[in-house]
Amino acid sequence: AFVDCAAEPSDRVEVFFNLLARMNEGGYIATHDTEFYEYEDYRDKLIEIAGPPSLHLPALNGFTLWALD
């Protein structure tokens, strides 16, 4: 799944958590703008729930990929 919606980081985080509950083990969730829109305020919460990201690229507003175990 690729999350790149809404202007507010809280909306993206809500979409992320809704997807996480529906994703199969072995799936991936990619999120865009993870260095933008004060997204870093939500990073700890995402890591607490989904674990550390598998890949984080800070360039071009940020791109983060979670592999779901």
Side-chain angles (χ1 to χ4, degrees):
F2 182 65
V3 179
D4 187 19
C5 61
E8 296 298 321
S10 59
D11 294 335
R12 290 176 193 236
V13 170
E14 184 177 340
V15 169
F16 181 95
F17 287 125
N18 286 331
L19 284 170
L20 187 61
R22 292 166 174 78
M23 296 288 292
N24 291 328
E25 186 175 311
Y28 294 90
I29 298 178
T31 54
H32 185 237
D33 292 336
T34 55
E35 292 289 330
F36 197 54
Y37 298 122
E38 293 83 30
Y39 185 86
E40 52 275 351
D41 295 342
Y42 296 92
R43 188 173 294 132
D44 289 341
K45 185 175 181 181
L46 291 172
I47 291 170
E48 179 182 322
I49 300 296
S54 301
L55 174 69
H56 176 72
L57 304 171
L60 300 173
N61 296 335
F63 175 86
T64 306
L65 179 70
W66 274 267
L68 308 177
D69 298 330

